[in-house]
Amino acid sequence: MNENMKKCASCGADIAKTAKVCPNCGAKNKKPIYKRVWFWILIVILIIAVISAGSSSSSNTDTPAVSGENSANTDTDTPAASGENTANTDNGSQPTQAPKAEKKPDFSIEGDVTTESDAFTTYITGVIMNNTGREKSYVQVTFNLYDANGNQIGTAMDNINNLAPGGTWKFKAIALTSESFASYKLAEISGW
Ligand SMILES: [Zn+2]
């Protein structure tokens, strides 16, 4: 058979390799799919995709422990969480986690949280910053209050309107309990 000839895939007649259709049966003269370059490129891309998906899912199996530690620490809010992150980067295992974890929360407590009392009740005071880049029409902070035995005995709450992007709010959360509390813990800062 001539170098420039081939068998028609449809009828078996000898036809020119360059022919677009078989002169005998009219079938399109196409290379079989496995002889096409793009077919093999596609296979290689798929293999790479499968391999990278496999490796990223294997690194994901490490994450639950890490996120478990983080969620345990979220009670104490941002400083502890970022401390946990640096511990993770020291492991050097998941570089992809660092940017995600370093993202600032929508609201962060700036500086110390302290308590002050008057004749009637106790307040929890501090400063909260709006990190969202948008004005928040309503922001609320709540603390859980505990007695000396660790029983929750109430909450302390404050809220504000129209907190500017990057704005700081000096809050004064009023303890909503008739008893005096021995300790408190940040429960939530939420806003919209
Ligand atoms: Zn043919």
Side-chain angles (χ1 to χ4, degrees):
M1 194 166 104
N2 190 304
E3 276 288 297
N4 299 320
M5 301 296 278
K6 59 173 281 190
K7 294 272 186 200
C8 170
S10 183
C11 70
D14 289 339
I15 59 170
K17 275 184 179 173
T18 52
K20 283 191 173 150
V21 293
C22 169
N24 186 43
C25 71
K28 282 186 179 169
N29 176 24
K30 281 184 176 174
K31 280 188 197 172
I33 193 161
Y34 56 84
K35 285 191 178 171
R36 292 173 184 230
V37 174
W38 62 258
F39 174 79
W40 289 107
I41 292 173
L42 203 68
I43 295 285
V44 169
I45 289 171
L46 280 173
I47 290 169
I48 291 170
V50 167
I51 290 170
S52 61
S55 64
S56 74
S57 73
S58 73
S59 69
N60 282 346
T61 53
D62 295 336
T63 17
V66 170
S67 60
E69 284 175 57
N70 281 344
S71 66
N73 281 331
T74 38
D75 297 333
T76 50
D77 207 34
T78 25
S82 57
E84 199 61 41
N85 293 337
T86 47
N88 287 342
T89 45
D90 288 345
N91 294 341
S93 48
Q94 280 95 40
T96 46
Q97 276 186 343
K100 185 180 164 193
E102 275 166 17
K103 183 182 178 290
K104 267 199 163 186
D106 286 357
F107 303 101
S108 57
I109 291 195
E110 306 290 310
D112 294 331
V113 174
T114 55
T115 58
E116 54 184 73
S117 301
D118 62 19
F120 307 101
T121 188
T122 302
Y123 303 92
I124 300 171
T125 63
V127 173
I128 286 173
M129 180 176 277
N130 174 6
N131 300 317
T132 62
R134 292 189 305 132
E135 181 176 294
K136 289 290 177 178
S137 54
Y138 179 86
V139 183
Q140 175 177 292
V141 60
T142 51
F143 292 87
N144 294 336
L145 309 177
Y146 303 92
D147 67 12
N149 297 320
N151 305 308
Q152 190 179 349
I153 54 170
T155 56
M157 183 194 293
D158 195 11
N159 55 58
I160 197 171
N161 294 109
N162 309 324
L163 185 59
T168 47
W169 165 35
K170 188 176 180 185
F171 66 86
K172 194 172 181 182
I174 302 168
L176 302 171
T177 174
S178 53
E179 309 171 54
S180 62
F181 56 93
S183 64
Y184 61 89
K185 192 175 80 174
L186 177 67
E188 188 182 27
I189 307 171
S190 57
W192 55 83

PDB file of all heavy atoms in Angstrom, residues 13-44:
ATOM      1  N   ALA A  13     -11.953   0.709   1.525  1.00  0.00           N
ATOM      2  CA  ALA A  13     -11.350   1.050   0.243  1.00  0.00           C
ATOM      3  C   ALA A  13     -10.044   1.807   0.467  1.00  0.00           C
ATOM      4  O   ALA A  13      -9.881   2.489   1.479  1.00  0.00           O
ATOM      5  CB  ALA A  13     -12.317   1.904  -0.574  1.00  0.00           C
ATOM      6  N   ASP A  14      -9.084   1.677  -0.477  1.00  0.00           N
ATOM      7  CA  ASP A  14      -7.852   2.453  -0.402  1.00  0.00           C
ATOM      8  C   ASP A  14      -8.157   3.884  -0.820  1.00  0.00           C
ATOM      9  O   ASP A  14      -8.650   4.134  -1.913  1.00  0.00           O
ATOM     10  CB  ASP A  14      -6.794   1.855  -1.357  1.00  0.00           C
ATOM     11  CG  ASP A  14      -6.286   0.524  -0.834  1.00  0.00           C
ATOM     12  OD1 ASP A  14      -6.422   0.283   0.383  1.00  0.00           O
ATOM     13  OD2 ASP A  14      -5.762  -0.258  -1.642  1.00  0.00           O
ATOM     14  N   ILE A  15      -7.836   4.799   0.071  1.00  0.00           N
ATOM     15  CA  ILE A  15      -8.099   6.205  -0.238  1.00  0.00           C
ATOM     16  C   ILE A  15      -6.870   7.011   0.166  1.00  0.00           C
ATOM     17  O   ILE A  15      -6.021   6.543   0.925  1.00  0.00           O
ATOM     18  CB  ILE A  15      -9.339   6.750   0.520  1.00  0.00           C
ATOM     19  CG1 ILE A  15      -9.132   6.609   2.039  1.00  0.00           C
ATOM     20  CG2 ILE A  15     -10.600   6.026   0.079  1.00  0.00           C
ATOM     21  CD1 ILE A  15     -10.182   7.325   2.844  1.00  0.00           C
ATOM     22  N   ALA A  16      -6.754   8.227  -0.368  1.00  0.00           N
ATOM     23  CA  ALA A  16      -5.630   9.095  -0.027  1.00  0.00           C
ATOM     24  C   ALA A  16      -5.753   9.517   1.438  1.00  0.00           C
ATOM     25  O   ALA A  16      -6.840   9.790   1.932  1.00  0.00           O
ATOM     26  CB  ALA A  16      -5.639  10.325  -0.932  1.00  0.00           C
ATOM     27  N   LYS A  17      -4.589   9.561   2.133  1.00  0.00           N
ATOM     28  CA  LYS A  17      -4.619   9.986   3.531  1.00  0.00           C
ATOM     29  C   LYS A  17      -5.158  11.403   3.671  1.00  0.00           C
ATOM     30  O   LYS A  17      -5.764  11.764   4.673  1.00  0.00           O
ATOM     31  CB  LYS A  17      -3.192   9.949   4.114  1.00  0.00           C
ATOM     32  CG  LYS A  17      -2.807   8.576   4.630  1.00  0.00           C
ATOM     33  CD  LYS A  17      -1.438   8.616   5.280  1.00  0.00           C
ATOM     34  CE  LYS A  17      -1.062   7.246   5.829  1.00  0.00           C
ATOM     35  NZ  LYS A  17       0.336   7.224   6.315  1.00  0.00           N
ATOM     36  N   THR A  18      -4.879  12.220   2.643  1.00  0.00           N
ATOM     37  CA  THR A  18      -5.279  13.622   2.718  1.00  0.00           C
ATOM     38  C   THR A  18      -6.742  13.832   2.353  1.00  0.00           C
ATOM     39  O   THR A  18      -7.266  14.932   2.510  1.00  0.00           O
ATOM     40  CB  THR A  18      -4.405  14.464   1.785  1.00  0.00           C
ATOM     41  OG1 THR A  18      -4.425  13.866   0.491  1.00  0.00           O
ATOM     42  CG2 THR A  18      -2.969  14.548   2.288  1.00  0.00           C
ATOM     43  N   ALA A  19      -7.407  12.777   1.849  1.00  0.00           N
ATOM     44  CA  ALA A  19      -8.798  12.953   1.417  1.00  0.00           C
ATOM     45  C   ALA A  19      -9.676  13.301   2.608  1.00  0.00           C
ATOM     46  O   ALA A  19      -9.536  12.713   3.687  1.00  0.00           O
ATOM     47  CB  ALA A  19      -9.295  11.670   0.758  1.00  0.00           C
ATOM     48  N   LYS A  20     -10.574  14.255   2.389  1.00  0.00           N
ATOM     49  CA  LYS A  20     -11.453  14.637   3.503  1.00  0.00           C
ATOM     50  C   LYS A  20     -12.589  13.645   3.644  1.00  0.00           C
ATOM     51  O   LYS A  20     -13.034  13.383   4.761  1.00  0.00           O
ATOM     52  CB  LYS A  20     -12.006  16.053   3.275  1.00  0.00           C
ATOM     53  CG  LYS A  20     -10.937  17.092   3.593  1.00  0.00           C
ATOM     54  CD  LYS A  20     -11.497  18.493   3.643  1.00  0.00           C
ATOM     55  CE  LYS A  20     -10.409  19.459   4.126  1.00  0.00           C
ATOM     56  NZ  LYS A  20     -10.573  20.802   3.578  1.00  0.00           N
ATOM     57  N   VAL A  21     -13.045  13.139   2.507  1.00  0.00           N
ATOM     58  CA  VAL A  21     -14.065  12.088   2.556  1.00  0.00           C
ATOM     59  C   VAL A  21     -13.619  10.941   1.659  1.00  0.00           C
ATOM     60  O   VAL A  21     -12.824  11.126   0.734  1.00  0.00           O
ATOM     61  CB  VAL A  21     -15.452  12.601   2.078  1.00  0.00           C
ATOM     62  CG1 VAL A  21     -15.995  13.626   3.046  1.00  0.00           C
ATOM     63  CG2 VAL A  21     -15.379  13.142   0.668  1.00  0.00           C
ATOM     64  N   CYS A  22     -14.137   9.766   1.960  1.00  0.00           N
ATOM     65  CA  CYS A  22     -13.827   8.585   1.155  1.00  0.00           C
ATOM     66  C   CYS A  22     -14.545   8.717  -0.188  1.00  0.00           C
ATOM     67  O   CYS A  22     -15.769   8.890  -0.214  1.00  0.00           O
ATOM     68  CB  CYS A  22     -14.296   7.336   1.897  1.00  0.00           C
ATOM     69  SG  CYS A  22     -14.254   5.846   0.893  1.00  0.00           S
ATOM     70  N   PRO A  23     -13.806   8.617  -1.303  1.00  0.00           N
ATOM     71  CA  PRO A  23     -14.478   8.724  -2.621  1.00  0.00           C
ATOM     72  C   PRO A  23     -15.399   7.537  -2.894  1.00  0.00           C
ATOM     73  O   PRO A  23     -16.302   7.629  -3.714  1.00  0.00           O
ATOM     74  CB  PRO A  23     -13.324   8.746  -3.614  1.00  0.00           C
ATOM     75  CG  PRO A  23     -12.065   8.630  -2.841  1.00  0.00           C
ATOM     76  CD  PRO A  23     -12.366   8.404  -1.398  1.00  0.00           C
ATOM     77  N   ASN A  24     -15.162   6.458  -2.180  1.00  0.00           N
ATOM     78  CA  ASN A  24     -15.956   5.248  -2.415  1.00  0.00           C
ATOM     79  C   ASN A  24     -17.302   5.304  -1.698  1.00  0.00           C
ATOM     80  O   ASN A  24     -18.351   5.138  -2.311  1.00  0.00           O
ATOM     81  CB  ASN A  24     -15.152   4.031  -1.963  1.00  0.00           C
ATOM     82  CG  ASN A  24     -15.852   2.724  -2.299  1.00  0.00           C
ATOM     83  OD1 ASN A  24     -16.385   2.573  -3.397  1.00  0.00           O
ATOM     84  ND2 ASN A  24     -15.852   1.799  -1.354  1.00  0.00           N
ATOM     85  N   CYS A  25     -17.241   5.547  -0.341  1.00  0.00           N
ATOM     86  CA  CYS A  25     -18.480   5.482   0.431  1.00  0.00           C
ATOM     87  C   CYS A  25     -18.935   6.841   0.960  1.00  0.00           C
ATOM     88  O   CYS A  25     -20.042   6.974   1.457  1.00  0.00           O
ATOM     89  CB  CYS A  25     -18.347   4.498   1.596  1.00  0.00           C
ATOM     90  SG  CYS A  25     -17.259   5.091   2.898  1.00  0.00           S
ATOM     91  N   GLY A  26     -18.069   7.823   0.878  1.00  0.00           N
ATOM     92  CA  GLY A  26     -18.472   9.158   1.319  1.00  0.00           C
ATOM     93  C   GLY A  26     -18.294   9.395   2.806  1.00  0.00           C
ATOM     94  O   GLY A  26     -18.574  10.487   3.307  1.00  0.00           O
ATOM     95  N   ALA A  27     -17.765   8.371   3.524  1.00  0.00           N
ATOM     96  CA  ALA A  27     -17.551   8.558   4.965  1.00  0.00           C
ATOM     97  C   ALA A  27     -16.408   9.547   5.189  1.00  0.00           C
ATOM     98  O   ALA A  27     -15.491   9.639   4.383  1.00  0.00           O
ATOM     99  CB  ALA A  27     -17.218   7.219   5.619  1.00  0.00           C
ATOM    100  N   LYS A  28     -16.467  10.286   6.256  1.00  0.00           N
ATOM    101  CA  LYS A  28     -15.409  11.239   6.568  1.00  0.00           C
ATOM    102  C   LYS A  28     -14.113  10.493   6.862  1.00  0.00           C
ATOM    103  O   LYS A  28     -14.117   9.496   7.576  1.00  0.00           O
ATOM    104  CB  LYS A  28     -15.797  12.120   7.762  1.00  0.00           C
ATOM    105  CG  LYS A  28     -16.765  13.210   7.353  1.00  0.00           C
ATOM    106  CD  LYS A  28     -17.031  14.164   8.497  1.00  0.00           C
ATOM    107  CE  LYS A  28     -17.994  15.252   8.030  1.00  0.00           C
ATOM    108  NZ  LYS A  28     -18.484  16.055   9.154  1.00  0.00           N
ATOM    109  N   ASN A  29     -13.039  10.957   6.277  1.00  0.00           N
ATOM    110  CA  ASN A  29     -11.731  10.336   6.490  1.00  0.00           C
ATOM    111  C   ASN A  29     -11.062  11.008   7.682  1.00  0.00           C
ATOM    112  O   ASN A  29     -10.382  12.010   7.566  1.00  0.00           O
ATOM    113  CB  ASN A  29     -10.880  10.496   5.223  1.00  0.00           C
ATOM    114  CG  ASN A  29      -9.488   9.943   5.431  1.00  0.00           C
ATOM    115  OD1 ASN A  29      -9.270   9.094   6.281  1.00  0.00           O
ATOM    116  ND2 ASN A  29      -8.553  10.436   4.630  1.00  0.00           N
ATOM    117  N   LYS A  30     -11.304  10.430   8.828  1.00  0.00           N
ATOM    118  CA  LYS A  30     -10.745  11.013  10.064  1.00  0.00           C
ATOM    119  C   LYS A  30      -9.744  10.053  10.648  1.00  0.00           C
ATOM    120  O   LYS A  30      -9.905   8.841  10.559  1.00  0.00           O
ATOM    121  CB  LYS A  30     -11.858  11.252  11.094  1.00  0.00           C
ATOM    122  CG  LYS A  30     -12.673  12.478  10.854  1.00  0.00           C
ATOM    123  CD  LYS A  30     -13.635  12.608  12.017  1.00  0.00           C
ATOM    124  CE  LYS A  30     -14.443  13.886  11.922  1.00  0.00           C
ATOM    125  NZ  LYS A  30     -15.458  13.930  12.962  1.00  0.00           N
ATOM    126  N   LYS A  31      -8.758  10.623  11.300  1.00  0.00           N
ATOM    127  CA  LYS A  31      -7.865   9.781  12.095  1.00  0.00           C
ATOM    128  C   LYS A  31      -8.670   9.206  13.245  1.00  0.00           C
ATOM    129  O   LYS A  31      -9.530   9.882  13.803  1.00  0.00           O
ATOM    130  CB  LYS A  31      -6.732  10.625  12.677  1.00  0.00           C
ATOM    131  CG  LYS A  31      -5.610  10.921  11.722  1.00  0.00           C
ATOM    132  CD  LYS A  31      -4.502  11.578  12.528  1.00  0.00           C
ATOM    133  CE  LYS A  31      -3.510  12.290  11.658  1.00  0.00           C
ATOM    134  NZ  LYS A  31      -2.576  13.072  12.458  1.00  0.00           N
ATOM    135  N   PRO A  32      -8.381   7.947  13.616  1.00  0.00           N
ATOM    136  CA  PRO A  32      -9.017   7.430  14.837  1.00  0.00           C
ATOM    137  C   PRO A  32      -8.645   8.320  16.024  1.00  0.00           C
ATOM    138  O   PRO A  32      -7.583   8.954  16.019  1.00  0.00           O
ATOM    139  CB  PRO A  32      -8.412   6.034  15.006  1.00  0.00           C
ATOM    140  CG  PRO A  32      -7.691   5.739  13.753  1.00  0.00           C
ATOM    141  CD  PRO A  32      -7.451   7.003  13.012  1.00  0.00           C
ATOM    142  N   ILE A  33      -9.511   8.337  17.007  1.00  0.00           N
ATOM    143  CA  ILE A  33      -9.371   9.310  18.102  1.00  0.00           C
ATOM    144  C   ILE A  33      -8.033   9.124  18.828  1.00  0.00           C
ATOM    145  O   ILE A  33      -7.399  10.092  19.220  1.00  0.00           O
ATOM    146  CB  ILE A  33     -10.567   9.182  19.072  1.00  0.00           C
ATOM    147  CG1 ILE A  33     -10.584  10.387  20.009  1.00  0.00           C
ATOM    148  CG2 ILE A  33     -10.552   7.874  19.834  1.00  0.00           C
ATOM    149  CD1 ILE A  33     -11.902  10.619  20.678  1.00  0.00           C
ATOM    150  N   TYR A  34      -7.570   7.887  18.948  1.00  0.00           N
ATOM    151  CA  TYR A  34      -6.331   7.681  19.717  1.00  0.00           C
ATOM    152  C   TYR A  34      -5.108   8.151  18.952  1.00  0.00           C
ATOM    153  O   TYR A  34      -4.022   8.181  19.489  1.00  0.00           O
ATOM    154  CB  TYR A  34      -6.185   6.209  20.136  1.00  0.00           C
ATOM    155  CG  TYR A  34      -6.220   5.230  18.997  1.00  0.00           C
ATOM    156  CD1 TYR A  34      -5.059   4.956  18.278  1.00  0.00           C
ATOM    157  CD2 TYR A  34      -7.404   4.600  18.636  1.00  0.00           C
ATOM    158  CE1 TYR A  34      -5.095   4.075  17.209  1.00  0.00           C
ATOM    159  CE2 TYR A  34      -7.443   3.717  17.586  1.00  0.00           C
ATOM    160  CZ  TYR A  34      -6.279   3.445  16.865  1.00  0.00           C
ATOM    161  OH  TYR A  34      -6.322   2.574  15.816  1.00  0.00           O
ATOM    162  N   LYS A  35      -5.267   8.487  17.657  1.00  0.00           N
ATOM    163  CA  LYS A  35      -4.123   8.984  16.904  1.00  0.00           C
ATOM    164  C   LYS A  35      -4.039  10.509  16.948  1.00  0.00           C
ATOM    165  O   LYS A  35      -3.147  11.112  16.370  1.00  0.00           O
ATOM    166  CB  LYS A  35      -4.204   8.521  15.435  1.00  0.00           C
ATOM    167  CG  LYS A  35      -3.857   7.070  15.271  1.00  0.00           C
ATOM    168  CD  LYS A  35      -3.697   6.716  13.818  1.00  0.00           C
ATOM    169  CE  LYS A  35      -3.291   5.256  13.660  1.00  0.00           C
ATOM    170  NZ  LYS A  35      -3.346   4.855  12.230  1.00  0.00           N
ATOM    171  N   ARG A  36      -4.978  11.142  17.604  1.00  0.00           N
ATOM    172  CA  ARG A  36      -4.995  12.606  17.612  1.00  0.00           C
ATOM    173  C   ARG A  36      -4.239  13.147  18.812  1.00  0.00           C
ATOM    174  O   ARG A  36      -4.337  12.627  19.922  1.00  0.00           O
ATOM    175  CB  ARG A  36      -6.441  13.100  17.664  1.00  0.00           C
ATOM    176  CG  ARG A  36      -7.141  12.761  16.370  1.00  0.00           C
ATOM    177  CD  ARG A  36      -8.594  13.073  16.469  1.00  0.00           C
ATOM    178  NE  ARG A  36      -9.229  12.628  15.231  1.00  0.00           N
ATOM    179  CZ  ARG A  36     -10.030  13.406  14.534  1.00  0.00           C
ATOM    180  NH1 ARG A  36     -10.318  14.611  14.941  1.00  0.00           N
ATOM    181  NH2 ARG A  36     -10.556  12.941  13.430  1.00  0.00           N
ATOM    182  N   VAL A  37      -3.507  14.224  18.561  1.00  0.00           N
ATOM    183  CA  VAL A  37      -2.659  14.802  19.621  1.00  0.00           C
ATOM    184  C   VAL A  37      -3.523  15.285  20.776  1.00  0.00           C
ATOM    185  O   VAL A  37      -3.231  15.031  21.940  1.00  0.00           O
ATOM    186  CB  VAL A  37      -1.825  15.966  19.040  1.00  0.00           C
ATOM    187  CG1 VAL A  37      -1.054  16.659  20.160  1.00  0.00           C
ATOM    188  CG2 VAL A  37      -0.880  15.431  17.988  1.00  0.00           C
ATOM    189  N   TRP A  38      -4.612  15.981  20.470  1.00  0.00           N
ATOM    190  CA  TRP A  38      -5.417  16.565  21.557  1.00  0.00           C
ATOM    191  C   TRP A  38      -5.998  15.494  22.474  1.00  0.00           C
ATOM    192  O   TRP A  38      -6.193  15.718  23.660  1.00  0.00           O
ATOM    193  CB  TRP A  38      -6.514  17.466  20.999  1.00  0.00           C
ATOM    194  CG  TRP A  38      -7.542  16.782  20.124  1.00  0.00           C
ATOM    195  CD1 TRP A  38      -7.601  16.804  18.780  1.00  0.00           C
ATOM    196  CD2 TRP A  38      -8.665  15.997  20.557  1.00  0.00           C
ATOM    197  NE1 TRP A  38      -8.669  16.069  18.333  1.00  0.00           N
ATOM    198  CE2 TRP A  38      -9.332  15.564  19.391  1.00  0.00           C
ATOM    199  CE3 TRP A  38      -9.156  15.600  21.802  1.00  0.00           C
ATOM    200  CZ2 TRP A  38     -10.479  14.768  19.450  1.00  0.00           C
ATOM    201  CZ3 TRP A  38     -10.300  14.803  21.846  1.00  0.00           C
ATOM    202  CH2 TRP A  38     -10.943  14.384  20.690  1.00  0.00           C
ATOM    203  N   PHE A  39      -6.220  14.307  21.900  1.00  0.00           N
ATOM    204  CA  PHE A  39      -6.758  13.230  22.732  1.00  0.00           C
ATOM    205  C   PHE A  39      -5.765  12.888  23.843  1.00  0.00           C
ATOM    206  O   PHE A  39      -6.134  12.755  25.013  1.00  0.00           O
ATOM    207  CB  PHE A  39      -7.027  12.001  21.843  1.00  0.00           C
ATOM    208  CG  PHE A  39      -7.444  10.776  22.602  1.00  0.00           C
ATOM    209  CD1 PHE A  39      -8.744  10.643  23.049  1.00  0.00           C
ATOM    210  CD2 PHE A  39      -6.536   9.753  22.870  1.00  0.00           C
ATOM    211  CE1 PHE A  39      -9.136   9.511  23.744  1.00  0.00           C
ATOM    212  CE2 PHE A  39      -6.926   8.623  23.567  1.00  0.00           C
ATOM    213  CZ  PHE A  39      -8.229   8.496  24.000  1.00  0.00           C
ATOM    214  N   TRP A  40      -4.484  12.775  23.457  1.00  0.00           N
ATOM    215  CA  TRP A  40      -3.460  12.411  24.449  1.00  0.00           C
ATOM    216  C   TRP A  40      -3.192  13.569  25.405  1.00  0.00           C
ATOM    217  O   TRP A  40      -2.932  13.358  26.593  1.00  0.00           O
ATOM    218  CB  TRP A  40      -2.182  11.961  23.742  1.00  0.00           C
ATOM    219  CG  TRP A  40      -2.408  10.625  23.099  1.00  0.00           C
ATOM    220  CD1 TRP A  40      -2.551  10.368  21.770  1.00  0.00           C
ATOM    221  CD2 TRP A  40      -2.601   9.382  23.775  1.00  0.00           C
ATOM    222  NE1 TRP A  40      -2.795   9.043  21.560  1.00  0.00           N
ATOM    223  CE2 TRP A  40      -2.844   8.403  22.782  1.00  0.00           C
ATOM    224  CE3 TRP A  40      -2.595   8.983  25.113  1.00  0.00           C
ATOM    225  CZ2 TRP A  40      -3.068   7.064  23.105  1.00  0.00           C
ATOM    226  CZ3 TRP A  40      -2.810   7.661  25.419  1.00  0.00           C
ATOM    227  CH2 TRP A  40      -3.054   6.704  24.418  1.00  0.00           C
ATOM    228  N   ILE A  41      -3.268  14.793  24.892  1.00  0.00           N
ATOM    229  CA  ILE A  41      -3.114  15.957  25.797  1.00  0.00           C
ATOM    230  C   ILE A  41      -4.207  15.913  26.863  1.00  0.00           C
ATOM    231  O   ILE A  41      -3.960  16.107  28.052  1.00  0.00           O
ATOM    232  CB  ILE A  41      -3.175  17.272  24.994  1.00  0.00           C
ATOM    233  CG1 ILE A  41      -1.927  17.385  24.109  1.00  0.00           C
ATOM    234  CG2 ILE A  41      -3.295  18.477  25.935  1.00  0.00           C
ATOM    235  CD1 ILE A  41      -1.965  18.555  23.167  1.00  0.00           C
ATOM    236  N   LEU A  42      -5.426  15.608  26.434  1.00  0.00           N
ATOM    237  CA  LEU A  42      -6.553  15.525  27.361  1.00  0.00           C
ATOM    238  C   LEU A  42      -6.312  14.442  28.414  1.00  0.00           C
ATOM    239  O   LEU A  42      -6.560  14.651  29.607  1.00  0.00           O
ATOM    240  CB  LEU A  42      -7.821  15.220  26.560  1.00  0.00           C
ATOM    241  CG  LEU A  42      -9.136  15.623  27.215  1.00  0.00           C
ATOM    242  CD1 LEU A  42      -9.226  17.144  27.271  1.00  0.00           C
ATOM    243  CD2 LEU A  42     -10.310  15.058  26.427  1.00  0.00           C
ATOM    244  N   ILE A  43      -5.806  13.289  27.959  1.00  0.00           N
ATOM    245  CA  ILE A  43      -5.529  12.188  28.897  1.00  0.00           C
ATOM    246  C   ILE A  43      -4.516  12.646  29.944  1.00  0.00           C
ATOM    247  O   ILE A  43      -4.696  12.432  31.154  1.00  0.00           O
ATOM    248  CB  ILE A  43      -4.975  10.962  28.128  1.00  0.00           C
ATOM    249  CG1 ILE A  43      -6.038  10.403  27.173  1.00  0.00           C
ATOM    250  CG2 ILE A  43      -4.489   9.895  29.109  1.00  0.00           C
ATOM    251  CD1 ILE A  43      -7.142   9.639  27.831  1.00  0.00           C
ATOM    252  N   VAL A  44      -3.439  13.314  29.462  1.00  0.00           N
ATOM    253  CA  VAL A  44      -2.383  13.764  30.393  1.00  0.00           C
ATOM    254  C   VAL A  44      -2.968  14.752  31.392  1.00  0.00           C
ATOM    255  O   VAL A  44      -2.708  14.682  32.597  1.00  0.00           O
ATOM    256  CB  VAL A  44      -1.211  14.384  29.596  1.00  0.00           C
ATOM    257  CG1 VAL A  44      -0.259  15.092  30.546  1.00  0.00           C
ATOM    258  CG2 VAL A  44      -0.489  13.300  28.820  1.00  0.00           C
TER     259      VAL A  44
END
